[in-house]
């Protein structure tokens, strides 16, 4: 059996609204044979579903490539649906049947095709208001409808309706980009919502990121503009071939809505008494509504949806309702999350529901909101007073586990409440589990940190008055995120904003989209508004990571100029172009070796900055080589060599001692290969000594923590890495778990051992940076690794490292080529290792502490192991395998 399945276009199944002129196709191969490799493929694109009007046929292409095959046919036209299919032949001579038919649909291929105008329901003096506004328009259709689409966006956020029904299920549209440079529009299929005769289109717009409160500690508002606006272009094709276009223009009308106030940080006030029944239906009396204004906007900024839309993902019911020692009535949802509360209520006209949201209870069990800073996280709903009324907010979201009911008509029941979990609509592709339940809970917490903070941009936290796309947080966590969900499109969109917000001199803002630049002059800590090491390096590390996981060369092509500009910025600001010892840096942020009252760890900025300079330069050199820029490759390879030599001269003594005696310093020099070979053993031993001096605990912050366990296990100290990971007392990952955490904290001691809180000024309990340990669970415990020479898991490296008190561990990962599975278990004096390798890939498997003569292959054929330094290794093809060998040597090493 040979089958092509799960065909996709630009990572998506049947996408509509694509703007790329050369979309790419991928597929997964299914086979019941082992060692299957695709030998050839044939791909067709047609204007019709029956493939009678084929516009591109590759013919038989002799290639094993099945990921990101680029369209190379005639120019694609706007507003068209194209169908595609593929068939393949394998190395056994089997030919598949044609795959199921997929399709993609183009949006506006040129901004000149926009006929609509931006219309605003707000006056020029409403910049400080955060009301939601209604917009509506009626139109007549005079034929049978074959095809109908809406292309829509807003300055602010919007919801759109056709004949009273909500269009699509996207949330917080159009998402957050650097609006004045890039504004996404969405495409919706409305064919089934329209009728012959009179129709109505309605919309609600709100402040959102465009004009609402941002960066609460510096109090920015109206960052991109002071008036919300809507843009809608509707295309209708009739069955007789005619087309009709409906657009936003001066003929639309506007009104106030029941949304009296809606802000990202602060929540929403909704007065149901102000609802206008039928406002988005035909034949509604809108004589009291007022005329809209048309506003100018640079239409060249408009781009089709790039990132994944934010959508409802889960509904969580409360686990209890408690009365706190202060007498507060509080709902516990059992999970820290990002989203909002959906509730149903009954009461009289004018009654209110008032809810406040928080992450934790204090040491006495009372509702705790001090760490929210100025964020109110408050929902107020005023009843209209009929039958049961159900409410969800529109243009806000909260980060919470606990909800305090401040006002409610009658006695609330937890059956009337549900938490709505929202995040960008990424596909879950990774799972991990093991025999240690605390470690399983840590993994759970890492996953929920991702869910809560990947809401259109990779935010630092979802609850306080911040929620910004901090570059440092994103780059330390990106590898872990790629193991858990398919984040390719999510990061591609964000990196495009990084590129356009990058300074002309190559500097990279601290947050993307950049809302801090030029507004930090009064900040007591931050002394400039861009370009810290470890933060700005997101410009290089993030696209490289996406390339490694998804074999997506396009992300390197698109970001290459940005990557190069970042390196050149550093070179221009470094001493002699080599040692970066100038400017402001966050350093090893929140490291435990910081001075009292400081957030900055003890590792000097010049060491950290130069270390990351070397690392990013090395990545840039590799990228240049991949893209065929050989002159750049030689230049940056040479620059990297100079940085490494200068670093060693600067930071190592003649006797081989690293001059900075911190854990993070030793971690970075080992991770980035900055240690002279003859001093490596000494450097590793000093790191072990530093951990021992801290009673076996880490002291690392944001930049040291992601690498510390990798450095230990990569240098023969797997036992010590496990010991660090499995610590249960403060400071450690499992300390948070033992304290009842359901997400990862910003501080190792967000809640201190005595139950008191870290300073309320910066204490998120849902902050994924330290969740970067997740990549170690996959890469080291289970041993699932990308081969840098064959990215995207085309060639897989499987090298499990059992240890600690674990008796089994397993991981599953859905790569671009299909499902990869790795597990190991210990029992009965043996180690058993199970793997599954998808068709069209190969793997190198290294069985730890094994002798080739002692390995028994229970499942899998033609496997020949050879002894190696780490045990025994073999090359295997696709299929499922089971290997068993004696435990003796492993136990000897562990003991």
């Amino acid at each position: 059996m040979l089958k092509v399945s799960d065909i996709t276009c630009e990572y998506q199944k049947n996408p509509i609204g694509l703007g790329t002129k050369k979309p790419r196709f991928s597929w997964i191969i299914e086979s019941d044979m082992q060692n299957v490799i695709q030998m050839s493929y044939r791909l067709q694109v047609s204007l019709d579903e029956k493939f009678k009007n084929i516009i591109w046929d590759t013919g038989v292409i002799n290639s094993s490539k099945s990921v990101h095959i680029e369209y190379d046919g005639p120019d694609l036209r706007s507003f068209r649906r194209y169908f595609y299919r593929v068939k393949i032949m394998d190395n056994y001579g089997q030919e598949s049947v044609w795959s199921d038919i997929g399709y993609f649909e183009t949006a506006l291929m040129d901004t000149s095709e926009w006929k609509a105008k931006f219309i605003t329901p707000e006056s020029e003096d409403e910049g400080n208001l955060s009301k939601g506004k209604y917009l509506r328009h009626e139109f007549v259709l005079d034929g049978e409808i074959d095809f109908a689409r809406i292309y829509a966006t807003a300055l602010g956020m919007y919801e759109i309706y056709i004949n009273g029904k909500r269009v699509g299920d996207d949330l917080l549209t159009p998402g957050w980009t650097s609006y004045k440079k890039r504004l996404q529009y969405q495409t919706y299929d409305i064919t089934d919502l329209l009728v012959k005769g009179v129709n109505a289109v309605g919309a609600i717009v709100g402040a959102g990121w465009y004009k609402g409160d941002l960066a609460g500690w510096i109090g920015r508002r109206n960052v991109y503009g002071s008036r919300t606006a809507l843009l809608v272009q509707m295309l209708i094709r009739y069955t007789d071939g005619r087309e009709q276009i409906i657009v936003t223009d001066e003929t639309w009308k506007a009104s106030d809505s029941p949304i009296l106030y809606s802000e990202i940080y602060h929540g929403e006030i909704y007065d149901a008494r102000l609802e206008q029944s039928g406002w988005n239906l035909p034949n509604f009396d809108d004589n009291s509504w007022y005329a809209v204004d048309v506003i100018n906007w640079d239409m060249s900024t408009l781009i089709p949806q790039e990132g994944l839309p934010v959508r409802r993902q889960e509904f969580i019911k409360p686990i209890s309702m408690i009365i706190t020692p202060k007498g507060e009535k509080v709902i516990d949802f059992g999970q820290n999350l990002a989203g909002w509360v959906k509730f149903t209520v009954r009461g009289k006209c004018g009654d209110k529901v008032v809810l406040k949201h928080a992450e934790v209870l204090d040491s006495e069990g009372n509702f705790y909101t001090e760490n929210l800073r100025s964020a109110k996280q408050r929902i107020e709903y005023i009843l209209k007073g009929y039958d049961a009324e159900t409410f969800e907010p529109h243009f806000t979201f909260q980060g919470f586990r606990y909800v305090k009911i401040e006002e409610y008509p009658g006695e609330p029941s937890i059956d009337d409440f549900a938490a709505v979990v929202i995040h960008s609509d990424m596909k879950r592709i990774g799972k991990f589990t093991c025999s240690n339940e605390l470690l399983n809970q840590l993994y759970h917490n890492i996953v929920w940190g991702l869910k809560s903070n990947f809401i259109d941009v990779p935010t630092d936290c979802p609850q306080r008055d911040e929620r910004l796309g901090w570059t440092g947080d994103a780059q330390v966590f990106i590898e872990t995120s790629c193991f858990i969900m398919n984040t390719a499109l999510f990061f591609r969109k964000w990196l495009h904003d990084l590129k356009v917000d990058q300074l002309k001199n190559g500097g990279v803002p601290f947050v993307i989209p950049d809302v801090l630049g030029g507004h930090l002059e009064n900040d007591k800590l931050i002394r400039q508004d861009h370009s810290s090491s470890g933060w700005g390096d997101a410009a290089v590390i993030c696209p490289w990571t996406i390339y490694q996981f998804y074999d997506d060369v396009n992300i390197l092509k698109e970001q290459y100029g940005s990557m190069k500009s970042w390196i050149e910025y550093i070179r221009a600001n470094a001493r002699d172009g080599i040692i970066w010892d100038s400017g402001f840096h966050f350093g090893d942020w929140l490291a435990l070796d910081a001075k009292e009252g400081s957030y900055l760890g003890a590792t000097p900025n010049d060491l950290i900055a130069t270390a990351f300079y070397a690392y990013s330069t090395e990545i840039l050199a590799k990228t240049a080589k991949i893209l065929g820029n050989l002159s750049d490759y030689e230049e940056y390879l040479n620059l990297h060599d100079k940085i490494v030599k200068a670093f060693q001269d600067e930071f190592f003594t003649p006797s081989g001692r690293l001059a900075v005696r911190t854990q993070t310093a030793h971690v970075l020099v080992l991770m980035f290969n900055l240690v002279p070979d003859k001093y490596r053993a000494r450097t590793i031993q000093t790191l072990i000594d530093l951990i021992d001096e801290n009673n076996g605990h880490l002291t690392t912050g944001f930049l040291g923590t992601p690498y510390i366990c990798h450095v230990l296990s990569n240098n023969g100290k797997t036992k010590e890495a496990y010991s660090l990971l499995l610590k249960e007392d403060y400071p450690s990952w499992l300390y948070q778990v033992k304290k009842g955490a359901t997400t990862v904290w910003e501080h190792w001691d967000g809640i201190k051992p005595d139950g008191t809180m870290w300073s309320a000024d910066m204490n998120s309990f849902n902050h994924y940076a330290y969740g970067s340990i997740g990549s170690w669970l996959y890469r080291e415990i289970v041993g699932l690794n990308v081969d840098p020479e064959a990215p995207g898991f085309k060639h897989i490296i499987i090298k499990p490292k059992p240890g600690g008190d674990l008796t089994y561990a397993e991981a599953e990962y859905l790569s671009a080529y299909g499902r990869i599975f790795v597990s190991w278990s210990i029992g009965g004096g043996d180690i058993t290792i199970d793997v599954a390798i998808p068709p069209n890939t190969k793997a190198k498997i290294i069985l730890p502490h094994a002798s080739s003569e002692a390995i028994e292959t229970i499942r899998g054929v033609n496997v020949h192991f050879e002894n190696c330094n780490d045990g025994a290794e073999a090359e295997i093809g696709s299929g499922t395998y089971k290997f068993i060998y004696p435990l003796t040597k492993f136990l000897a090493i562990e003991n």
Side-chain angles (χ1 to χ4, degrees):
M1 181 273 290
L2 182 68
K3 181 182 178 182
V4 175
S5 66
D6 200 21
I7 59 173
T8 56
C9 177
E10 290 298 334
Y11 294 96
Q12 303 168 76
K13 187 174 181 63
N14 299 337
I16 68 171
L18 287 184
T20 178
K21 295 179 179 180
K22 290 188 175 294
R24 298 169 301 164
F25 309 100
S26 303
W27 55 87
I28 287 175
I29 300 169
E30 296 180 14
S31 175
D32 55 2
M33 305 282 284
Q34 283 196 310
N35 301 316
V36 172
I37 294 293
Q38 172 187 294
M39 299 303 291
S40 65
Y41 68 84
R42 184 179 182 185
L43 179 63
Q44 293 180 334
V45 176
S46 172
L47 293 176
D48 68 293
E49 199 167 2
K50 295 184 178 180
F51 284 79
K52 293 183 177 179
N53 193 356
I54 296 171
I55 62 169
W56 185 52
D57 188 335
T58 64
V60 176
I61 303 295
N62 295 321
S63 170
S64 68
K65 189 171 177 60
S66 59
V67 175
H68 306 313
I69 309 296
E70 188 172 87
Y71 173 78
D72 194 27
D75 289 347
L76 301 175
R77 296 176 59 189
S78 299
F79 321 121
R80 299 291 173 183
R81 177 169 289 188
Y82 296 88
F83 300 88
Y84 68 98
R85 65 184 181 179
V86 66
K87 67 191 308 186
I88 67 168
M89 181 175 286
D90 69 12
N91 52 321
Y92 292 100
Q94 295 185 106
E95 185 176 35
S96 74
V97 299
W98 285 109
S99 67
D100 291 340
I101 295 169
Y103 65 80
F104 66 93
E105 191 175 295
T106 56
L108 293 85
M109 303 301 284
D110 193 296
T111 54
S112 65
E113 295 173 297
W114 280 103
K115 309 301 180 187
K117 303 173 184 178
F118 276 95
I119 59 172
T120 178
E122 294 188 313
S123 63
E124 293 182 355
D125 61 357
E126 290 186 277
N128 290 322
L129 299 182
S130 301
K131 292 182 176 180
K133 297 281 189 172
Y134 279 154
L135 291 154
R136 74 180 310 274
H137 179 72
E138 291 189 10
F139 55 96
V140 176
L141 302 180
D142 63 356
E144 298 299 321
I145 301 161
D146 178 59
F147 173 101
R149 299 291 183 267
I150 278 182
Y151 308 96
T153 189
L155 307 180
M157 292 181 183
Y158 75 93
E159 295 176 358
I160 200 160
Y161 300 82
I162 293 290
N163 295 330
K165 294 182 179 180
R166 172 76 189 274
V167 174
D169 55 3
D170 299 358
L171 305 170
L172 310 180
T173 46
W176 190 9
T177 52
S178 184
Y179 292 121
K180 292 188 176 180
K181 303 166 187 172
R182 287 164 30 84
L183 175 60
Q184 293 184 127
Y185 66 85
Q186 287 70 48
T187 301
Y188 305 102
D189 183 349
I190 56 167
T191 307
D192 295 336
L193 298 179
L194 297 173
V195 296
K196 187 176 181 179
V198 181
N199 292 262
V201 53
I204 313 174
V205 293
W209 294 288
Y210 179 79
K211 63 167 277 189
D213 293 337
L214 287 175
W217 80 97
I218 60 173
R220 293 207 67 192
R221 185 177 177 82
N222 299 325
V223 172
Y224 303 99
S226 60
R227 302 170 79 184
T228 58
L230 178 71
L231 182 77
V232 171
Q233 184 157 310
M234 193 182 315
L235 172 65
I236 297 100
R237 289 197 188 114
Y238 296 107
T239 54
D240 61 10
R242 289 179 300 129
E243 289 189 351
Q244 185 174 348
I245 296 177
I246 310 296
V247 299
T248 43
D249 59 18
E250 300 89 340
T251 64
W252 286 54
K253 301 186 77 174
S255 171
D256 285 341
S257 81
I259 303 173
L260 304 182
Y261 177 89
S262 190
E263 280 281 354
I264 296 287
Y265 299 154
H266 306 307
E268 192 162 296
I269 302 173
Y270 186 95
D271 189 343
R273 298 172 301 179
L274 302 179
E275 291 178 347
Q276 301 181 48
S277 180
W279 72 273
N280 50 17
L281 290 171
N283 303 312
F284 172 77
D285 183 1
D286 59 10
N287 287 327
S288 63
W289 287 37
Y290 55 87
V292 298
D293 286 341
V294 171
I295 64 172
N296 292 322
W297 186 264
D298 181 0
M299 302 299 278
S300 70
T301 63
L302 295 177
I303 57 170
Q305 175 86 33
E306 275 192 347
L308 296 165
V310 176
R311 291 189 173 130
R312 296 171 181 84
Q313 303 291 337
E314 301 174 54
F315 293 86
I316 296 179
K317 296 298 292 182
I319 62 172
S320 66
M321 186 180 294
I322 60 176
I323 305 298
T324 71
K326 287 184 177 180
E328 305 156 315
K329 191 170 291 184
V330 174
I331 299 173
D332 179 4
F333 285 96
Q335 173 63 54
N336 201 357
L337 59 94
W340 53 69
V341 174
K342 177 180 180 179
F343 59 85
T344 299
V345 61
R346 297 166 181 80
K348 303 187 302 297
C349 180
D351 284 347
K352 291 182 180 180
V353 176
V354 178
L355 306 178
K356 294 200 72 173
H357 303 72
E359 295 184 283
V360 294
L361 304 177
D362 66 18
S363 59
E364 297 178 352
N366 294 310
F367 196 70
Y368 180 80
T369 58
E370 289 182 37
N371 69 320
L372 302 181
R373 302 193 304 213
S374 68
K376 295 182 176 65
Q377 290 218 125
R378 181 180 182 273
I379 296 295
E380 178 179 332
Y381 177 80
I382 305 169
L383 279 70
K384 56 190 172 186
Y386 296 103
D387 294 329
E389 302 174 40
T390 299
F391 178 72
E392 294 182 59
H394 298 77
F395 304 125
T396 184
F397 66 90
Q398 288 77 53
F400 65 98
R401 170 177 171 170
Y402 298 95
V403 173
K404 181 170 69 169
I405 302 175
E406 290 197 332
E407 196 168 338
Y408 195 89
E411 190 63 30
S413 166
I414 61 172
D415 294 334
D416 291 329
F417 295 85
V420 181
V421 178
I422 69 168
H423 59 73
S424 291
D425 199 24
M426 302 164 290
K427 183 176 182 178
R428 180 73 182 270
I429 57 176
K431 297 178 182 178
F432 170 88
T433 188
C434 70
S435 58
N436 185 308
E437 287 306 315
L438 292 178
L439 205 53
N440 290 337
Q441 183 64 44
L442 172 63
Y443 179 74
H444 168 98
N445 295 0
I446 293 168
V447 172
W448 277 90
L450 187 161
K451 290 179 180 181
S452 304
N453 284 291
F454 278 40
I455 297 177
D456 203 57
V457 298
T459 57
D460 56 327
C461 57
Q463 74 298 100
R464 67 181 179 229
D465 57 352
E466 195 164 348
R467 313 185 197 186
L468 305 177
W470 285 94
T471 49
D473 304 52
Q475 75 87 359
V476 301
F477 188 70
I478 186 171
E479 183 170 277
T480 292
S481 75
C482 289
F483 272 118
I484 297 170
M485 292 188 177
N486 189 324
T487 59
L489 292 179
F490 177 86
F491 272 110
R492 179 172 181 257
K493 172 251 185 186
W494 184 74
L495 284 167
H496 286 177
D497 279 296
L498 185 152
K499 179 170 61 176
V500 299
D501 273 350
Q502 195 165 1
L503 280 65
K504 290 182 179 180
N505 64 3
V508 174
F510 298 146
V511 301
I512 300 295
D514 180 23
V515 296
L516 299 182
H519 295 272
L520 292 170
E521 61 273 8
N522 296 321
D523 194 285
K524 295 179 181 179
L525 172 66
I526 304 174
R527 297 300 177 222
Q528 66 188 55
D529 57 15
H530 65 88
S531 301
S532 167
S533 60
W535 272 248
D537 292 285
V540 174
I541 294 171
C542 290
W544 179 253
T545 305
I546 294 299
Y547 165 71
Q548 287 289 303
F549 272 79
Y550 306 108
D551 191 17
D552 192 340
V553 177
N554 275 14
I555 194 70
L556 298 182
K557 293 178 181 176
E558 293 162 357
Q559 297 301 125
Y560 185 73
S562 169
M563 298 166 76
K564 186 174 177 179
S565 293
W566 171 242
I567 298 303
E568 290 304 325
Y569 170 84
I570 302 174
R571 177 147 59 172
N573 286 274
R575 182 185 0 127
D576 299 324
I578 302 297
I579 299 294
W580 192 8
D581 58 1
S582 62
F584 170 84
H585 299 273
F586 291 102
D588 194 25
W589 186 249
L590 301 184
L592 294 172
D593 55 12
K595 293 180 180 179
E596 186 68 29
S598 173
Y599 298 136
L600 307 178
T603 308
N605 286 338
D606 56 350
L607 183 146
I608 292 174
T610 308
F612 271 94
Y613 180 22
Y615 180 50
S616 287
T617 301
E618 182 181 28
I619 290 174
L620 180 61
K622 292 177 180 178
T623 301
K625 186 177 183 181
I626 290 165
L627 298 181
N629 298 334
L630 297 185
S631 60
D632 277 3
Y633 167 66
E634 294 292 342
E635 178 178 352
Y636 290 111
L637 188 64
N638 182 53
L639 176 60
H640 174 258
D641 291 343
K642 289 179 179 178
I643 298 168
V644 172
K645 184 179 185 307
F647 183 96
Q648 293 172 350
D649 291 344
E650 183 89 6
F651 297 108
F652 281 90
T653 69
S655 62
R657 175 175 57 84
L658 182 60
V660 176
R661 204 172 184 277
T662 66
Q663 289 183 14
T664 289
H666 286 73
V667 166
L668 293 182
V669 300
L670 288 163
M671 190 69 192
F672 298 158
N673 292 313
L674 302 174
V675 183
D677 289 341
K678 60 183 177 179
Y679 301 147
R680 178 170 288 272
R682 176 174 181 171
T683 306
I684 295 165
Q685 185 55 51
T686 303
L687 175 59
I688 297 297
D689 293 343
L690 289 166
I691 294 171
D692 290 343
E693 289 168 16
N694 206 51
N695 297 317
H697 294 86
L698 46 69
T699 60
T700 50
F702 273 35
L703 297 185
T705 298
Y707 305 121
I708 189 167
C709 284
H710 288 289
V711 162
L712 291 170
S713 57
N714 289 342
N715 288 280
K717 302 295 180 182
T718 299
K719 181 178 179 180
E720 289 79 0
Y722 269 105
S723 178
L724 202 63
L725 173 65
L726 297 175
K727 283 280 184 291
E728 297 181 13
D729 57 337
Y730 167 79
S732 68
W733 287 279
L734 299 188
Y735 166 78
Q736 299 177 9
V737 173
K738 296 274 281 189
K739 281 289 186 180
T742 61
T743 44
V744 177
W745 298 350
E746 181 175 18
H747 291 267
W748 293 114
D749 57 347
I751 299 176
K752 297 179 181 294
D754 64 2
T756 59
M757 303 286 183
W758 173 274
S759 173
D761 65 340
M762 194 176 64
N763 194 20
S764 164
F765 293 96
N766 197 347
H767 206 102
Y768 54 61
Y770 291 144
S772 54
I773 187 62
S775 72
W776 196 82
L777 306 184
Y778 281 96
R779 287 178 52 191
E780 303 300 330
I781 292 182
V782 175
L784 175 57
N785 287 274
V786 173
D787 182 346
E789 301 303 316
F793 295 93
K794 177 68 170 175
H795 184 253
I796 308 155
I797 298 176
I798 297 173
K799 188 179 180 180
K801 293 180 180 175
D805 63 355
L806 275 60
T807 57
Y808 79 86
E810 68 178 48
E812 186 173 343
Y813 183 77
L814 183 60
S815 74
Y817 295 94
R819 174 180 177 266
I820 305 170
F821 176 81
V822 184
S823 77
W824 57 261
S825 60
I826 296 172
D830 291 326
I831 297 180
T832 301
I833 296 184
D834 287 275
V835 298
I837 307 300
N840 209 27
T841 69
K842 293 183 179 181
K844 180 179 185 177
I845 183 167
I846 302 170
L847 302 185
H849 318 305
S851 169
S852 62
E853 297 81 11
I855 299 170
E856 184 179 1
T857 303
I858 304 300
R859 186 172 61 243
V861 295
N862 301 324
V863 180
H864 173 69
F865 281 92
E866 293 185 354
N867 292 325
C868 63
N869 290 336
D870 298 308
E873 65 180 25
E875 284 286 332
I876 57 176
S878 66
T880 58
Y881 301 82
K882 181 189 291 286
F883 307 108
I884 299 178
Y885 58 95
L887 190 61
T888 309
K889 189 175 179 183
F890 170 71
L891 289 177
I893 291 174
E894 281 294 286
N895 293 326

